[in-house]
């Protein structure tokens, strides 16, 4: 099967780029001697998970997931060591318990004393990490908060350590800034772990991540594992913040020209707001890539900085920048679009069409979406 | 089953509100004596399609779809008269032909002379409408363009008429402005049809739509059918532009509190950028509803203008506005979020949990997503 045979829009995953990204992260984390716990929220694919766990550079132990649908899917494919890294609710504990009764070891997180009590009170309580706020102020308790010790106490024997995520790294714009955020992430988690240890609660797991901080951290002392996900595929936003280069984006959307407006240097394509997502992560980045960078059918940057300027539900307006020759693309011609934010873009699609540097489809890998 | 039993995040569809919205549109279109061709791009559900087609106020003939996945799904459920209202590519004609060979009557659209030639040259050419640009300048040919007659000529016997969509109606902010856009939409389609007729090509179908223009048109003279979709569910953006009222939003996202920050008047919920979409349609509207309006578990506006202020992949930050008492919501408490743009929000979900004004789930209706 060739790319030309595929229905559009669809997701194309370049296996060579993926492997290069996996290697780069594996090496970066292995420098510190800590384990990598790949976050599958981006890829949502057992095939990608297996590659991410087959880490020749160091330890990759277990995975991270963002939904219970992912947990169930990966357990069904034989992965047992799973961290569900979104605050648990009491209602979700039955589903976790069911997976664990079937042989999995799904861990949960909380930053709430009452939720910790509900976890401990469950008939089959999972192991739980306490979420620490290292500066993003999204979720988590401050490392020095009194409630930290209360949550650990209420978790009882299921308490397994702490985890944090420095989402503020997405505001960083240089390796130096990322290293500073990584230091805050590390020290937040380690400070919380030290306070707990001083109160008799040793933390078997001290977890942090983040692709940008995992790559740029100068020290991971006191950290036992690093979580990261978007590094596998990359995207325009991650390229903007220095996680990888512009040629390291492994996932693109294959699309067809469905209309032509040469006077406006535009074509209409069949990848719109659903196929690309309406994510505008690069809006505040040094370069705003609108709804994605227009590549040729082989994924090459043949059209300079031409972008998808607007999207409607099933329509994208691809505009060729004035510094490139206007290509003569008939209706039906194929393009590929590099995404702003690959986690959001990929979520609209149920499979990857896998290539390896050319236009031959070497595999089809399914994704698990939804909740 | 009760709402409290559902996993979160999930989609809740209020059947009573849906029916009210269907009635309002059916009546508005019936005033003009033209047929309604419901656009299923928003609902993507056979159960909703059946209600939209059971129009006691006038004629509802066939449906509109935005993907071939929808076409295949609806044909599989017995609906045969279908307009696929996104510019066709030559590669997609085989799939259309396959549906038509199985008894369907799927029509396609084009605004391109070469694509018209490819349609006519297919072994089983579908009937085709020419897309007219009535001022949005997304797709379509101008009513007075020379190429209009060329496209009709190249389509040959499969030529079935014209269609247009005044997407610029989304810039309207009053019934008067919508009526003006509707007049431009009507006159663009009718002008094209008249030119074609003057050249010996009668248009059996002269199609326009649009929820806002379908509702606000003062005349549909010369139009044979109206397409509309988002009116079925409504959303915050459509409420802003006057398509319906704030209490006419039929689809909401049920979510659970997963963290609490009372000092910041915030809760973290498990509906994030995937469950709500990152659509920001109301950004330029009179009232910017950010990522959605926070409702109570029964869908009531109990929290004033409290909104989801930020989203991450699986996290939403719901902030209670200063003019309402801060509710005491434990982790696990349920809220509902009215969406910015229901077409985008619904697309992340694979089913509707249907209620009828209270918290009892009376049905579960599947959706068809993807391509």
């Amino acid at each position: 099967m060739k790319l030309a045979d595929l229905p559009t829009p669809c997701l194309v995953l370049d296996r060579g780029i993926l492997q290069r990204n996996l290697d780069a992260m594996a090496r970066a984390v292995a420098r510190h001697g800590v384990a990598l716990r790949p976050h599958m929220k981006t890829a949502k694919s057992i095939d990608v998970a297996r590659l991410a766990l087959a880490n020749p550079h160091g330890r990759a132990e277990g995975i991270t997931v963002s939904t219970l649908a992912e947990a169930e899917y990966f357990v069904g494919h034989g992965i047992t060591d799973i961290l569900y890294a979104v605050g648990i609710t009491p209602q979700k504990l039955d589903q976790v318990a069911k997976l664990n009764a079937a042989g999995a070891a799904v861990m949960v997180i909380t930053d709430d004393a009452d939720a910790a009590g509900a976890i401990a009170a469950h008939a089959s309580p999972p192991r739980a990490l306490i979420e620490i706020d290292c500066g993003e102020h999204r979720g988590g308790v401050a490392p020095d908060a009194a409630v930290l010790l209360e949550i650990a106490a209420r978790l009882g024997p299921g308490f397994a350590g702490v985890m944090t995520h420095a989402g503020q790294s997405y505001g960083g714009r240089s390796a130096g800034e990322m290293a500073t955020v990584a230091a805050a992430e590390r020290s937040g988690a380690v400070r919380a772990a030290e306070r707990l240890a001083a109160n008799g609660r040793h933390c078997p797991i001290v977890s942090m991540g983040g692709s940008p901080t995992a790559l740029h951290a100068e020290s991971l002392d006191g950290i036992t594992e690093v979580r990261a996900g978007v590094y596998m595929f990359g995207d325009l936003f991650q390229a903007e913040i220095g996680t990888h280069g512009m040629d390291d984006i492994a996932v693109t959307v294959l699309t067809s020209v469905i209309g032509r407006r040469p006077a406006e240097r535009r074509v209409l394509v069949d990848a719109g707001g659903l196929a690309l997502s309406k994510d505008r992560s690069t809006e505040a980045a040094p370069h705003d890539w609108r709804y994605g960078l227009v590549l040729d059918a082989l994924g090459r940057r043949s059209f300079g900085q031409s972008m998808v300027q607007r999207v409607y539900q099933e329509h994208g307006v691809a505009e060729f920048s004035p510094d490139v020759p206007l290509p003569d693309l008939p209706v039906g011609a194929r393009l590929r679009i590099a995404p702003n934010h690959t986690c959001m873009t990929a979520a609209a699609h149920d499979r990857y069409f896998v290539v390896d540097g050319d236009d031959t489809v070497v595999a089809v890998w399914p994704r698990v979406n939804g909740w």
Side-chain angles (χ1 to χ4, degrees), chain A residues 1-191:
Chain A
M1 190 161 56
K2 298 286 184 181
L3 286 181
D5 304 322
L6 299 180
T8 57
C10 68
L11 272 189
V12 176
L13 169 58
D14 190 296
R15 194 165 59 178
I17 301 176
L18 167 65
Q19 191 59 57
R20 196 165 75 213
N21 294 344
L22 294 176
D23 288 343
M25 179 61 79
R27 272 195 299 267
V29 174
R31 282 185 299 147
H32 303 285
V34 308
L36 176 63
R37 182 186 286 278
H39 202 319
M40 301 315 302
K41 76 190 178 86
T42 310
K44 300 197 184 212
S45 150
I46 184 62
D47 303 281
V48 178
R50 287 186 183 126
L51 291 176
L53 289 170
N55 175 356
H57 306 284
R59 288 176 297 131
E61 293 176 356
I63 61 171
T64 317
V65 299
S66 65
T67 66
L68 289 179
E70 288 170 54
E72 196 166 311
Y73 166 84
F74 286 111
V75 169
H77 285 90
I79 296 181
T80 54
D81 180 359
I82 295 177
L83 174 62
Y84 171 44
V86 174
I88 194 76
T89 65
Q91 293 90 335
K92 290 175 180 169
L93 289 167
D94 285 350
Q95 199 179 341
V96 173
K98 202 171 149 190
L99 293 171
N100 289 347
V106 178
M107 286 183 291
V108 301
I109 70 168
T110 189
D111 65 359
D112 189 274
D114 290 341
I119 294 168
H122 193 270
S124 304
R127 294 175 79 211
L129 304 183
I130 302 175
E131 185 176 9
I132 306 300
D133 178 3
C134 63
E136 187 188 19
H137 309 315
R138 181 199 320 186
V141 298
D144 286 307
V147 75
L148 174 69
L149 304 178
E150 185 191 345
I151 297 172
R154 293 190 67 177
L155 282 173
F159 167 75
V162 295
M163 62 83 72
T164 193
H165 170 62
Q168 69 267 37
S169 66
Y170 282 33
R173 293 291 179 266
S174 68
E177 285 172 23
M178 293 304 179
T180 302
V181 176
E185 190 175 37
R186 187 197 75 82
S187 71
V190 170
R191 166 74 183 142

Side-chain angles (χ1 to χ4, degrees), chain A residues 337-354:
Chain A
I337 312 294
N340 234 295
H341 185 172
T342 191
C343 312
M344 303 299 294
T345 301
H349 301 262
D350 63 2
R351 73 197 73 182
Y352 302 98
F353 294 98
V354 183

Side-chain angles (χ1 to χ4, degrees), chain A residues 54 121 131 196 225 262 335:
Chain A
E131 185 176 9
L196 287 157
E225 66 171 40
L335 296 168

Side-chain angles (χ1 to χ4, degrees), chain A residues 189-250:
Chain A
V190 170
R191 166 74 183 142
E194 287 172 350
R195 274 188 72 216
L196 287 157
N199 283 270
R201 302 307 303 265
H202 168 67
C203 290
I205 296 175
V206 183
S207 176
M208 67 173 257
S211 295
T213 55
L215 282 169
H216 293 294
E218 290 169 355
S219 161
L220 293 180
D221 286 358
I223 298 294
T224 66
E225 66 171 40
V226 163
R227 308 181 315 281
V230 73
Y231 74 96
M232 301 180 198
F233 292 167
D235 55 33
L236 294 165
F237 179 73
Q238 295 296 326
E240 285 294 312
I241 66 172
T243 302
H244 56 71
M246 281 294 285
D247 294 318
D248 300 324
I249 300 175

